[in-house]
Amino acid sequence: MINEKTTKELITLANEPESLSLRGVEEDSQNVKIIDVRPVEAYNGWQLKNEPRGGHISGAKSLPAKWLNYIDWIEIVRHKNILPENEIIIYGYSADESQKVAERFLKSGYSNISVYNHFLDEWAPNPDLPMQKLERFKNLVSAEWVHELISGRKPAEYDNDKYVIVHSHYRNRDAYLTGHIPGAIDMDTLALEAPETWNRRSPEELKMALEAHGITSGTTVILYGKYMDPDNADEFPGSAAGDIGAIRNAFIMMYAGVKDVRVLNGGFRSWLDAGFETSYIDEPKAPVNDFGVSIPQKPELAVDTPEAKEMLASSKAELVCVRSWPEYIGEVSGYNYIEAKGRIPGAVFADCGSDAYHMENYRNVDHTSREFQETAEIWMNNGITPDKHLAFYCGTGWRGSEAWFNAWLMGWPRVSVYDGGWFEWSNDPNNPFETGVPELFRNLVE
């Protein structure tokens, strides 16, 4: 049986700390689970139905109705720690949508199910009712937002008259030529990072590259990539991980001084899922004469090895290792061009997923960014907190950039990318390194 909750009942539950926490990061330990089945963009803060306030009911979990189409739906639910013994309260933009998700829960063995059908007419309009949103949600855009932009309209949270859509890739123009967003140009990540070090290029090189791609500091840049099942056995596995490469390019553009950088949430997969037209035209780039400001405008976004060492010695900073567990304990280097295995002593572990070319632990099943409160909870449990200066790193900068982007979107005040990462650190024989399972984790793996 599916019950219907009133706003008064939901407020009562929300005000009972033993039932539901409003702080988000603690909610998983409670019995009541409020489930938001709207698109992830609405959960993050986009007002897709012109509601007075954007965001979600405080403490709610994101479980878009779109995911009902995935065969492993119940695994997704369990992964979010939504369990059969929980009381489940479902809300969305429409009663029909909430009902469909509720029925799937019933079929999956969940018995205590309710729906709340007054989010639009009662909860969102009332400023006294608690809501949360991603601090910089506007920098994570949807396929619908991009479609509105290229159709000549003015999408929400956009006030500019010049934009460039960038299909990012690494040594893989075929990823672009086999289908891209209409009007998008391609950009190889090598335009902005040097293969000798895999660090960002010099200010002079960045200026030339950005100008060649038609980008000034005042251009709104929308970046995305195409996920193509990376295989470590390939000569260049990163060529199939353009979705991570797009965020790497976004980081370097922001470091350089592009003021308005957006990332398409879910990459090209989101464009396809939305059913929009795919283009196969090799769009010409329209170079500009001057980037407009000196580079870098935001040098604090990047940390190099000397500062990384200072951070390791500071109680007010952390180096955050966004690598896989086998890389972290030194079983593998993670790359076919890096021989050294191990980790930087003192670095905090922030597991990326399976290997150097995947970010499963930071992504949903449709490649959109994971619910930001889940990411924050995992980080905080590992001592990664917003009161510290955090420098995220991986092997060469891609995964570190994506984790950094998550923290930046959340509004964490001092977040950077340690650009050199394991590649640069391990190339200096004077730098210390560790292997094996750290003491902190031994009880968990034994």
Side-chain angles (χ1 to χ4, degrees), residues 40-80:
V40 292
E41 287 75 28
Y43 182 87
N44 286 340
W46 291 96
Q47 294 155 272
L48 303 185
K49 297 295 183 182
N50 297 315
E51 55 266 41
R53 293 186 296 160
H56 56 272
I57 294 173
S58 291
K61 307 286 294 177
S62 177
L63 191 73
K66 166 189 172 182
W67 295 354
L68 290 174
N69 298 321
Y70 292 99
I71 194 169
D72 53 353
W73 181 84
I74 190 61
E75 282 76 20
I76 299 168
V77 170
R78 296 294 179 88
H79 184 68
K80 284 179 164 285

Side-chain angles (χ1 to χ4, degrees), residues 242-260:
D243 52 339
I244 310 177
I247 300 180
R248 174 63 172 168
N249 278 348
F251 156 71
I252 297 175
M253 287 185 188
M254 292 170 67
Y255 161 86
V258 180
K259 298 174 185 175
D260 187 12

Side-chain angles (χ1 to χ4, degrees), residues 246-310:
I247 300 180
R248 174 63 172 168
N249 278 348
F251 156 71
I252 297 175
M253 287 185 188
M254 292 170 67
Y255 161 86
V258 180
K259 298 174 185 175
D260 187 12
V261 174
R262 317 285 181 111
V263 170
L264 172 56
N265 197 9
F268 192 62
R269 178 75 260 164
S270 290
W271 187 261
L272 295 177
D273 287 350
F276 294 132
E277 175 188 0
T278 295
S279 173
Y280 302 91
I281 298 171
D282 189 358
E283 296 285 351
K285 300 170 180 64
V288 294
N289 292 325
D290 187 22
F291 180 66
V293 297
S294 61
I295 297 175
Q297 284 291 297
K298 293 190 175 293
E300 69 276 9
L301 298 185
V303 163
D304 294 314
T305 298
E307 187 177 356
K309 291 180 177 180
E310 293 175 3

Side-chain angles (χ1 to χ4, degrees), residues 11 35 87 147 152 160 191 203 236 284-286 299 327 356 415 445:
I11 292 171
I35 310 296
E87 177 182 355
H147 185 261
N160 203 350
F236 302 110
K285 300 170 180 64
E327 291 172 272
V415 290
V445 299

Side-chain angles (χ1 to χ4, degrees), residues 197 199-200 248 251 255 299-311 319 389 391 416-421 424-425:
T197 61
N199 291 354
R200 65 205 182 278
R248 174 63 172 168
F251 156 71
Y255 161 86
E300 69 276 9
L301 298 185
V303 163
D304 294 314
T305 298
E307 187 177 356
K309 291 180 177 180
E310 293 175 3
M311 293 178 68
L319 278 192
H389 179 195
S416 310
V417 174
Y418 168 35
D419 213 13
E424 182 175 306
W425 185 276

Side-chain angles (χ1 to χ4, degrees), residues 89 122 133 248 257 301 310 437 440:
I89 304 172
E122 293 183 10
K133 63 183 177 181
R248 174 63 172 168
L301 298 185
E310 293 175 3
V437 178
L440 177 66

Side-chain angles (χ1 to χ4, degrees), residues 18-58:
E18 294 303 315
S19 299
L20 177 69
S21 164
L22 296 181
R23 290 187 291 275
V25 298
E26 298 174 6
E27 188 267 333
D28 274 352
S29 64
Q30 309 300 333
N31 182 56
V32 177
K33 306 288 185 179
I34 297 181
I35 310 296
D36 186 329
V37 300
R38 301 172 303 152
V40 292
E41 287 75 28
Y43 182 87
N44 286 340
W46 291 96
Q47 294 155 272
L48 303 185
K49 297 295 183 182
N50 297 315
E51 55 266 41
R53 293 186 296 160
H56 56 272
I57 294 173
S58 291

